[in-house]
């Protein structure tokens, strides 16, 4: 018998950005092993490192869901989630 990862509960549902009050977008990412999670994109000059002033840091909750509310004007943006300053 073969079992896929989804049947074992290993694959998490994608946590898509959500629009919230005040013109902010809520970014969320699930990672139990990350030490830092940042967002790099069109809207912050792709900055994600500690010494970069526009880096956006997500904060974890007790269920390993990292999140940050970011003020953004309406539009389309490209972005990536960066784990521990190295994995995009």
């Amino acid at each position: 018998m073969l079992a896929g990862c989804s049947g074992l509960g290993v694959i998490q549902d994608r946590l898509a950005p959500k629009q919230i009050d005040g013109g902010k977008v809520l970014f969320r990412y699930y990672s139990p092993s990350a030490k830092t999670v940042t967002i790099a994109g069109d809207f912050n000059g792709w900055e994600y490192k500690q010494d970069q002033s526009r880096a956006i840091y997500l904060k974890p909750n007790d269920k390993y869901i990292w999140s940050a509310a970011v003020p953004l004007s309406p539009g389309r943006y490209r972005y990536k989630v960066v784990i521990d300053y190295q994995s995009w």
Side-chain angles (χ1 to χ4, degrees), residues 13-27:
D13 289 334
R14 179 177 172 183
L15 298 172
K18 302 286 185 189
Q19 191 72 27
I20 59 175
D21 292 334
K24 295 183 179 181
V25 173
L26 178 62
F27 289 93

Side-chain angles (χ1 to χ4, degrees), residues 50-69:
Q50 287 176 314
D51 60 347
Q52 295 175 322
S53 63
R54 298 190 311 172
I56 298 169
Y57 286 87
L58 283 68
K59 295 183 180 182
N61 67 13
D62 60 348
K63 296 183 180 180
Y64 309 110
I65 296 175
W66 298 71
S67 63

